[in-house]
């Protein structure tokens, strides 16, 4: 049950990051350029845990960006870190264990 709660929190955080990036055109452009994802691919990419992990890593890689997101959304940096760890961990179905 706790694992499900962690997954829901990570997903909610990832959705919040995506929403924030969408409201920050310069930041979104930078993320898209670094990730190689085209704007028309984003709708499909949000279902990919690797995309979400990359988006969270992008946010955490630059402290001022992380702090801007946290200030704008009332999210704690630790919450973003936990979500990033959740998406970057191998899962049983991934074949990475």
């Amino acid at each position: 049950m706790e694992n499900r709660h962690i997954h829901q929190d990570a997903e909610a955080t990832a959705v919040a990051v995506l929403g924030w990036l969408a409201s920050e055109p310069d930041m979104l452009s930078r993320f898209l350029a670094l990730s190689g994802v085209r704007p028309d691919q984003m709708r499909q990419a949000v279902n990919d845990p690797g995309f979400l992990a990359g988006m969270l890593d992008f946010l955490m890689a630059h402290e001022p960006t992380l702090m801007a997101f946290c200030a704008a959304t009332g999210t704690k940096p630790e919450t973003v870190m936990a979500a990033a760890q959740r998406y970057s961990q191998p899962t049983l179905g991934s074949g990475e264990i």
Side-chain angles (χ1 to χ4, degrees):
M1 190 76 149
E2 182 178 328
N3 204 15
R4 183 176 182 186
H5 180 69
I6 291 169
H7 176 73
Q8 289 172 335
D9 287 351
E11 188 174 331
T13 301
V15 168
V17 170
L18 184 59
W20 180 77
L21 282 174
S23 72
E24 299 286 334
D26 291 342
M27 200 62 61
L28 180 61
S29 293
R30 184 168 181 246
F31 170 69
L32 292 175
L34 290 171
S35 70
V37 174
R38 296 189 320 261
D40 63 320
Q41 295 173 317
M42 283 193 64
R43 191 174 302 254
Q44 202 168 16
V46 297
N47 296 317
D48 178 2
F51 172 80
L52 298 176
M55 185 179 63
L56 292 163
D57 286 346
F58 166 79
L59 194 68
M60 290 185 10
H62 188 243
E63 187 176 351
T65 302
L66 172 63
M67 298 315 288
F69 165 76
C70 290
T73 63
T75 304
K76 293 180 180 179
E78 297 83 12
T79 301
V80 178
M81 188 181 318
Q85 288 174 344
R86 164 66 179 92
Y87 279 107
S88 65
Q89 290 180 355
T91 61
L92 287 176
S94 70
E96 295 177 12
I97 294 182

